[in-house]
Amino acid sequence: MTDRRRVILEGAARVIARRGVRGLRVAELAAEAGVSTALVYYHFRDRPGILREALAFIGDRADRYTGPGDEEAERRPADPRELLERTLLLEFQDVPEVRENSAAWGELRAHTVFAPELREELAAAGAAWTDEIAELVAAVRPAAPPAAVTGAAQRLTALLEGLSVRWLSGLLPLAHARRLMREAVRVEIDRLG
């Protein structure tokens, strides 16, 4: 990805997180990214193209902060349950990138309720996230039936999204959201036997 393209996508994530999808205006995005509107259109053609690419960018960025980096791979928890919990809890980091990503994801998800043009891409991104968590759940409970593992992963990712919205909006303190997520992991793992 070119530097300009990345800067524009970072700006799109910030604008979507702050103003929602309906509040995304190309002129405001260009100003946020410090580029011309012509350059935005050059890279993304139209507003739906910006939204699709922003969704992919947000997903890729989340993969970077929830997945192990090179040095972190060496310190990766050996225990599958610890790895599952750690992966989920990395979505509750009080740092601008994570807060912005979570808010933008929520805005994009809410947008698809009434504007279906992003549903397919959003569904694919959500399914990939659920599959990743299901792999981690299966590592903790290898004998569990696949359907039960998938159900646990769906419940955990749905809860994570709900807790994230509550945390970001100030309805839940960060420590409490993390505690609830840890308890949910325990409940789901115990349920699988």
Side-chain angles (χ1 to χ4, degrees):
M1 175 182 317
T2 66
D3 287 343
R4 294 281 177 127
R5 189 175 175 82
R6 182 184 47 73
V7 166
I8 294 168
L9 289 170
E10 287 170 348
R14 280 191 302 275
V15 172
I16 292 168
R18 274 195 321 259
R19 300 175 62 65
V21 173
R22 288 185 168 200
L24 177 68
R25 303 286 179 260
V26 176
E28 183 180 352
L29 168 55
E32 180 75 28
V35 300
S36 68
T37 56
L39 189 62
V40 173
Y41 283 118
Y42 171 78
H43 282 288
F44 302 101
R45 241 175 56 173
D46 55 16
R47 191 170 181 280
I50 294 166
L51 293 174
R52 269 194 233 46
E53 293 291 327
L55 176 62
F57 175 78
I58 289 164
D60 290 344
R61 194 161 68 169
D63 287 344
R64 283 194 305 277
Y65 64 73
T66 58
D70 293 339
E71 68 218 29
E72 191 178 328
E74 296 173 13
R75 296 183 310 222
R76 191 175 188 168
D79 178 47
R81 185 178 182 147
E82 283 180 47
L83 183 57
L84 169 63
E85 193 173 282
R86 181 190 146 287
T87 300
L88 291 165
L89 291 176
L90 283 171
E91 289 286 348
F92 295 103
Q93 298 178 66
D94 198 9
V95 296
E97 182 180 72
V98 175
R99 292 176 68 90
E100 179 182 284
N101 234 42
S102 294
W105 174 262
E107 291 294 334
L108 286 161
R109 191 180 65 240
H111 175 72
T112 63
V113 171
F114 299 106
E117 69 271 4
L118 286 178
R119 273 189 198 154
E120 193 172 307
E121 289 91 345
L122 191 71
W129 173 232
T130 300
D131 290 346
E132 179 183 341
I133 298 304
E135 285 178 28
L136 296 171
V137 170
V140 177
R141 292 288 190 249
V149 167
T150 299
Q154 289 170 334
R155 285 185 295 275
L156 288 170
T157 55
L159 177 64
L160 186 143
E161 289 179 2
L163 290 173
S164 180
V165 168
R166 288 180 179 208
W167 160 55
L168 291 170
S169 61
L171 298 174
L172 276 181
L174 180 57
H176 188 60
R178 286 178 175 158
R179 191 169 35 259
L180 291 171
M181 195 74 240
R182 280 188 192 97
E183 289 172 10
V185 168
R186 181 185 48 77
V187 167
E188 290 296 340
I189 296 305
D190 289 351
R191 170 187 268 172
L192 292 173

